[in-house]
Amino acid sequence: MALTADYNGLTVGISQDFALVILSSMIMVIQVAAIGYAVLPRRLRIFNKALFASDAAAEFREAHKKAFGRDLAKEFNEGYPDMGTGRFSEMLSYKDWYQFNCDQRTHHNYLELLPLYLVLMVSSGF
């Protein structure tokens, strides 16, 4: 059995199985959010308060205070807005930088392609 609707002479029908397409789309959205949350523990471990209070961060603290009038170490921001390739990442060891960027790219690759997947899934489900 299909659900149909008539729009000015254009009849659109959706089968009951289309619910599976919607369910699959919802699962993909939940999955991309979960992958994003999976990056957070590594971000918190790498971009910690000790890193921003270290001697290596002195230049960044000074530039931040000059630009915004606030102390970066006291305004701990978990490394945001650095997404792994910015100024704060320059303070990381190669291993931390590499692991964080692998996690970040996994999330971003999925996020960048999600709209395409959803459009194709929904349009092919009709």
Side-chain angles (χ1 to χ4, degrees):
M1 185 170 145
L3 302 171
T4 58
D6 187 36
Y7 298 103
N8 297 328
L10 175 66
T11 303
V12 177
I14 300 174
S15 74
Q16 287 183 328
D17 293 335
F18 191 71
L20 296 174
V21 173
I22 299 299
L23 178 64
S24 298
S25 299
M26 289 172 56
I27 289 170
M28 289 176 73
V29 169
I30 291 168
Q31 185 178 19
V32 77
I35 290 172
Y37 285 116
V39 176
L40 189 59
R42 189 173 315 268
R43 174 179 284 282
L44 293 175
R45 183 182 63 77
I46 292 173
F47 292 112
N48 55 37
K49 286 186 179 187
L51 178 69
F52 288 100
S54 70
D55 291 339
E59 176 186 338
F60 297 112
R61 288 195 312 270
E62 184 179 314
H64 189 83
K65 186 160 185 124
K66 183 178 178 183
F68 301 105
R70 299 183 307 266
D71 185 11
L72 180 61
K74 292 179 182 173
E75 191 181 289
F76 175 62
N77 62 359
E78 292 125 10
Y80 288 108
D82 198 323
M83 301 309 271
T85 56
R87 290 182 169 194
F88 295 150
S89 293
E90 295 173 7
M91 296 184 291
L92 301 178
S93 69
Y94 179 79
K95 180 181 176 184
D96 287 341
W97 173 84
Y98 182 82
Q99 289 176 334
F100 181 70
N101 273 280
C102 286
D103 290 349
Q104 199 69 13
R105 282 308 319 153
T106 300
H107 174 59
H108 280 165
N109 284 344
Y110 198 160
L111 190 61
E112 290 165 358
L113 292 173
L114 184 64
L116 174 65
Y117 293 152
L118 293 176
V119 167
L120 292 175
M121 188 180 296
V122 170
S123 63
S124 65
F126 279 109

